[in-house]
């Protein structure tokens, strides 16, 4: 930790990962102080957080929501634009920026934070998948970028003190999602409510649906390739029901090193924020420490036929070029359409597959080109869904 208290800017403060980070800050006020809070449009929750954490500023990237927040309180300055976000993540008062927002909107802020030599904890996987070639070279110090995604946080912990050349392969564990035991026929009748009911984690809608299709694990494979500078053949997914083990590294001498803990994002947040120290999390009595005596862990391979999204993401990992951005764009739109009941659960992978297979342009050379490809992925997915026709059932929005 650079200083006590460590001054934090939290992007995605009103979300699921944001709440875990705030729980750690709440439990250790002498170690962590919230200086800026950023979210998209949840003005009411942001207002509550301002009253609790007393930051010097808050931002809502939705302009209307920012206006509402200004009317709700006068305690802090309210920001809203991309420039404001850059101001926040490079602010001289800030030591550590946590990127816990969903989507890809914070990519440029992530670049700015790294360039300004801030420590960064990163939960947002889409940013790395879309922009790694323009983000990873900006990392200046080995302790600067700390993975918050639970599997990557586990791998990061396993790799500490190790020589990268001795890493043979890594395994990211997957819970298997709510449909781990389903067959093809049962998958056809899956509803958004069923898909959102994750067996282990309480997460935002997008990542919950991605977990149910196993796209989350596919996206995480690409994320891990870039974060740990590994080939696609070195990153594997393995099902671990219950998600007690989060990540495994196999070294060249055959040793397997794995990180296990109660599945709780506050643990990942604590390790990233307190690195190289560790916190005494008994201050958070709700986190039950694992007992070695009751530990039974099973691993088995994922079924890529039943969950084709994983195979599609692995193919994008192999081909790289435009495919990771296309995959993220198409998946975003397909998941949204599923939540709006415009397509079925099994059509999610069909939409993404068609977007990927119909694309033959060049690899992006710049971040701007990668963002254009991301947008093409979204547009093509929208066009496919439109042309397939709407199902005409009741449409319920799952937007927060
Ligand atoms: N949830 C989890 O346990 C895990 C999540 N992740 C990753 O972390 C990220 C966040 O996930 P999760 O917390 O579940 O998501 P949520 O949907 O719960 O929260 C998303 C957060 O991002 C904010 N946000 C959305 N768009 C923007 C934007 N354009 N600018 C600024 N803030 C924005 C939202 O604000 P508002 O509420 O105002 O709309 C909200 O605070 C995702 O990339 C996810 O894949 C990784 C590992 C675990
Ligand atoms: C908590 C976390 O890191 C999520 O990304 C988690 O991995 C989702 O669960 P699945 O293992 O089901 O994808
Ligand atoms: Mn994860």
């Amino acid at each position: 930790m650079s200083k006590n208290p460590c001054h934090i800017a939290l992007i995605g403060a009103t979300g699921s990962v944001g709440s875990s980070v705030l729980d750690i800050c709440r439990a250790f006020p002498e170690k962590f102080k919230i200086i800026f809070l950023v979210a998209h449009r949840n003005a009411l929750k942001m207002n509550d957080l301002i009253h609790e954490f007393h930051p010097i500023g808050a931002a809502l990237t939705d302009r209307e929501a920012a206006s509402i927040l200004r009317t709700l309180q006068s305690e802090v300055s309210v920001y809203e634009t991309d420039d404001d976000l850059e101001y926040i993540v490079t602010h001289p008062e800030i030591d550590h920026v946590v990127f816990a927002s969903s989507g890809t909107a914070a990519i440029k802020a992530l670049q700015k934070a790294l360039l300004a030599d801030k420590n960064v904890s990163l939960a947002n996987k889409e940013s790395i998948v879309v922009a790694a070639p323009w983000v990873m070279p900006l990392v200046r110090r080995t302790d600067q970028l700390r993975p918050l995604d639970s599997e990557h946080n586990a791998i990061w912990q396993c790799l500490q003190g190790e020589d990268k050349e001795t890493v043979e392969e890594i395994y990211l564990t997957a819970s298997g999602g709510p449909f781990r035991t389903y067959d093809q026929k049962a998958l056809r009748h899956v509803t958004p409510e069923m898909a959102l009911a994750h067996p282990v984690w309480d997460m935002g809608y997008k990542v919950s649906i991605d977990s149910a299709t196993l796209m989350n694990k596919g996206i995480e494979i690409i994320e891990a390739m870039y974060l740990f500078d590994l080939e696609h053949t070195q990153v594997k997914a393995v099902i671990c029901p219950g998600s007690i083990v989060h990540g495994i590294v196999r070294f060249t001498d055959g040793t397997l090193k794995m990180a296990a803990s109660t599945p709780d994002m506050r643990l990942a947040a604590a390790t990233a924020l307190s690195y190289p120290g560790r916190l005494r999390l008994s201050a958070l009595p709700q986190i039950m420490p694992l007992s070695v005596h009751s530990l039974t862990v099973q691993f088995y391979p994922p079924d890529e036929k039943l969950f084709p999204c994983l195979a599609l993401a692995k193919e994008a990992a192999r081909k790289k070029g435009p495919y990771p951005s296309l995959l993220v764009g198409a998946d975003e739109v397909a998941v949204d359409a599923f939540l709006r009941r415009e397509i079925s659960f099994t059509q999610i992978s069909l939409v993404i597959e068609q977007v990927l297979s119909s694309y033959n342009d060049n690899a992006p050379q710049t971040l701007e080109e990668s963002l254009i490809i991301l947008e093409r992925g979204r547009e093509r997915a929208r066009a496919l869904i439109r042309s397939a026709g709407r199902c005409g059932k009741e449409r319920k929005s799952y937007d927060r």
Side-chain angles (χ1 to χ4, degrees):
M1 237 181 302
S2 48
K3 75 175 197 234
N4 253 347
C6 170
H7 284 190
I8 293 176
L10 173 56
I11 324 292
T14 53
S16 156
V17 178
S19 298
S20 294
V21 171
L22 289 172
D23 258 2
I24 296 298
C25 297
R26 205 175 266 126
F28 299 93
E30 71 292 357
K31 291 186 187 296
F32 308 112
K33 177 156 177 47
I34 293 289
I35 304 293
F36 287 103
L37 292 167
V38 180
H40 181 45
R41 62 181 179 193
N42 192 340
L44 290 179
K45 188 156 181 189
M46 183 60 93
N47 187 41
D48 290 346
L49 294 177
I50 289 169
H51 287 122
E52 180 180 358
F53 288 95
H54 307 290
I56 64 171
L60 288 176
T61 54
D62 180 274
R63 181 164 290 201
E64 220 173 290
S67 309
I68 294 171
L69 183 60
R70 285 190 194 97
T71 65
L72 291 175
Q73 59 81 48
S74 54
E75 188 180 324
V76 306
S77 309
V78 176
Y79 302 93
E80 61 187 45
T81 66
D82 287 348
D83 286 348
D84 291 341
L85 204 54
E86 286 182 18
Y87 165 78
I88 287 170
V89 302
T90 59
H91 194 284
E93 277 280 313
I94 294 296
D95 305 309
H96 197 124
V97 188
V98 180
F99 286 90
S101 50
S102 48
T104 48
I107 291 176
K108 288 189 177 150
L110 172 60
Q111 288 182 309
K112 294 284 176 192
L114 291 169
L115 279 168
D117 206 24
K118 306 296 184 191
N119 287 332
V120 166
S121 289
L122 183 69
N124 177 272
K125 44 194 111 190
E126 299 92 332
S127 294
I128 286 298
V129 174
V130 168
W134 304 280
V135 167
M136 294 310 293
L138 306 179
V139 178
R140 300 178 178 192
R141 297 173 274 112
T142 50
D143 65 343
Q144 190 181 7
L145 183 59
R146 303 153 189 204
L148 246 187
D149 199 344
S150 62
E151 300 76 8
H152 305 71
N153 180 273
I155 299 291
W156 175 67
Q157 292 193 52
C158 291
L159 291 178
Q160 281 162 25
E162 303 286 355
D163 177 356
K164 188 192 163 263
E165 297 310 310
T166 65
V167 175
E168 190 92 7
E169 59 187 6
I170 67 170
Y171 288 87
L172 309 176
T173 61
S175 69
F179 312 127
R180 182 170 62 82
T181 57
Y182 278 40
D183 61 16
Q184 187 66 46
K185 193 165 164 239
L187 280 183
R188 283 196 214 111
H189 304 289
V190 157
T191 63
E193 289 77 10
M194 291 159 75
L196 286 170
H198 196 278
V200 180
W201 305 94
D202 182 11
M203 310 183 288
Y205 294 137
K206 165 68 167 53
V207 63
S208 296
I209 302 302
D210 281 347
S211 293
T213 61
L214 294 201
M215 177 58 91
N216 183 48
K217 221 42 60 182
I219 285 177
E220 289 184 349
I221 286 177
I222 305 174
E223 180 189 8
M225 277 167 54
Y226 286 127
L227 283 179
F228 305 115
D229 190 23
L230 296 170
E231 296 298 323
H232 71 99
T233 48
Q234 291 178 285
V235 186
K236 299 188 172 146
V238 65
I239 304 285
C240 174
S243 307
I244 293 298
V245 173
H246 307 291
I248 308 167
V249 179
R250 180 194 296 283
F251 292 94
T252 44
D253 61 4
T255 300
L256 291 178
K257 195 169 163 185
M258 53 185 90
S261 67
T262 304
D264 189 318
M265 282 301 289
R266 290 174 297 177
L267 293 176
T271 57
L273 291 178
S274 65
Y275 183 81
R278 282 190 186 270
L279 298 171
R280 188 165 289 283
L281 283 188
S282 51
L284 286 171
Q286 317 90 304
I287 300 184
M288 290 295 292
L290 281 184
S291 152
V292 281
H293 303 295
S294 60
L295 209 57
T296 316
V297 192
Q298 283 184 322
F299 300 106
Y300 57 88
D303 184 339
E304 292 181 22
K305 281 213 173 77
L306 206 51
F307 297 99
C309 283
L310 177 58
L312 292 170
K314 282 172 70 175
E315 185 64 2
R318 184 181 72 77
K319 288 161 87 176
K320 287 192 181 168
Y323 294 99
S325 293
L326 274 179
L327 182 91
V328 169
D331 179 53
E332 188 184 297
V333 169
V335 166
D336 192 53
F338 168 66
L339 287 172
R340 291 171 187 278
R341 299 173 207 275
E342 291 170 1
I343 62 172
S344 68
F345 183 78
T346 48
Q347 284 173 323
I348 295 175
S349 62
L350 294 177
V351 169
I352 299 165
E353 184 180 5
Q354 287 189 48
V355 171
L356 296 179
S357 63
S358 67
Y359 198 84
N360 49 20
D361 280 5
N362 294 333
Q365 301 302 316
T366 61
L367 173 58
E368 284 62 37
E369 286 177 16
S370 188
L371 293 174
I372 289 170
I373 293 168
L374 170 76
E375 192 49 40
R376 284 211 186 123
R378 291 178 181 135
E379 283 163 7
R380 286 178 186 211
R382 278 189 208 109
L384 280 167
I385 291 163
R386 264 199 310 272
S387 70
R390 304 233 154 102
C391 67
K393 288 184 195 157
E394 171 213 359
R395 280 213 243 135
K396 177 176 170 188
S397 168
Y398 282 79
D399 285 353
R400 280 192 162 169

